[in-house]
Amino acid sequence: MIRFIAILLALFLAGAAFAAPASNPSIPVFGSGSGKAGLTLSTPTEIVILLTLMTLLPAMIMSVSPFLRIIIVLHFLRQALGTQSAPSNQVLVGLALFLSFLIMQPVVIDAYHQGWEPVESGQMTWQEGLDQGAKPLRTFLLKFAREKDIQTCVQMTKSPAPRNAADLSLSVLIPAYILSELKAGFQIGAVLFLPFMIIDLAVASVTLSIGMVQLPPVMISAPFKILLFVLVDGWNLVVGSLLKTFY
């Protein structure tokens, strides 16, 4: 598990590499000594930078993984069922997190073998290891990023048009992937709402026809929606369908 987290950290630290100028291939050296090469920082400054990176790391991991689509769909599902706090946010986040680990496991293993192991054995420098380790992540992002969103991000960055997918930088792929996942999550959520909305309409029509105006239709429709969801084994259907969208 420690190696798993370490390679994830290395992948997202590669985001700093694509923002650096191409003419400077070296990575600044942070240290408290008085070396001539690299950037020298005091120990308190290093601690502040490290804590800042650790604070941003969860958001970065969630943004470039299936977590984004999964948590959006689960949120829409809870809203459609009419259960405002069941399952709780902690349960939904935990389920989305472990499903994301399940999907991203092959990507992380490839990144570990291509980037981390050569650096550990001394066959590559850190710069080369980060570049090689980011390739599986780049392939994953390209698989799910829509061409329209990539074109939008390329135009916003005013970068030259790429000749092929290999020319796309992570600064373009990551926001394009986030936009694509947001659209996919909202599309799936809209489809999930339809059967439960039909139940709400039917219950509302019945209650109005018999004169039960004072009783909110949601109180009557909620048990029927939950019963329908349980009878069709809804969790298995939703989670299974979500996982299939990534394979």
Side-chain angles (χ1 to χ4, degrees), residues 29-35 39-46:
V29 178
F30 296 90
S32 55
S34 58
L39 180 63
T40 302
L41 295 176
S42 61
T43 301
T45 305
E46 292 181 5

Side-chain angles (χ1 to χ4, degrees), residues 46-215:
E46 292 181 5
I47 294 175
V48 171
I49 294 175
L50 180 60
L51 291 177
T52 304
L53 291 176
M54 293 297 292
T55 304
L56 297 176
L57 184 61
M60 296 169 66
I61 294 177
M62 294 174 185
S63 298
V64 295
S65 68
F67 181 90
L68 184 60
R69 183 190 304 187
I70 294 173
I71 196 64
I72 290 175
V73 173
L74 293 180
H75 172 75
F76 274 111
L77 176 62
R78 186 173 65 179
Q79 294 294 322
L81 286 172
T83 55
Q84 301 299 324
S85 59
S88 63
N89 291 331
Q90 291 84 353
V91 174
L92 293 184
V93 170
L95 177 60
L97 187 62
F98 281 103
L99 289 177
S100 301
F101 283 162
L102 178 65
I103 298 171
M104 292 295 291
Q105 185 177 1
V107 178
V108 174
I109 292 176
D110 291 342
Y112 176 78
H113 290 314
Q114 296 182 25
W116 189 268
E117 284 185 343
V119 172
E120 277 189 326
S121 60
Q123 300 176 3
M124 291 183 181
T125 62
W126 279 103
Q127 179 76 22
E128 296 173 346
L130 289 176
D131 292 339
Q132 293 296 322
K135 285 184 178 180
L137 178 62
R138 184 192 303 274
T139 303
F140 176 82
L141 297 179
L142 279 171
K143 185 177 180 181
F144 298 102
R146 298 189 307 158
E147 183 178 354
K148 183 178 180 180
D149 295 327
I150 294 176
Q151 291 177 352
T152 301
C153 294
V154 170
Q155 293 174 358
M156 292 299 101
T157 56
K158 297 181 180 179
S159 56
R163 292 170 297 178
N164 49 46
D167 293 338
L168 291 171
S169 63
L170 290 178
S171 60
V172 172
L173 281 178
I174 290 177
Y177 171 80
I178 294 175
L179 291 175
S180 302
E181 288 298 285
L182 286 174
K183 179 178 181 180
F186 274 78
Q187 285 177 336
I188 298 174
V191 174
L192 282 176
F193 254 102
L194 293 178
F196 300 107
M197 185 177 63
I198 293 175
I199 295 177
D200 286 333
L201 291 175
V203 171
S205 299
V206 172
T207 54
L208 288 176
S209 63
I210 61 179
M212 298 176 62
V213 182
Q214 301 298 328
L215 183 63

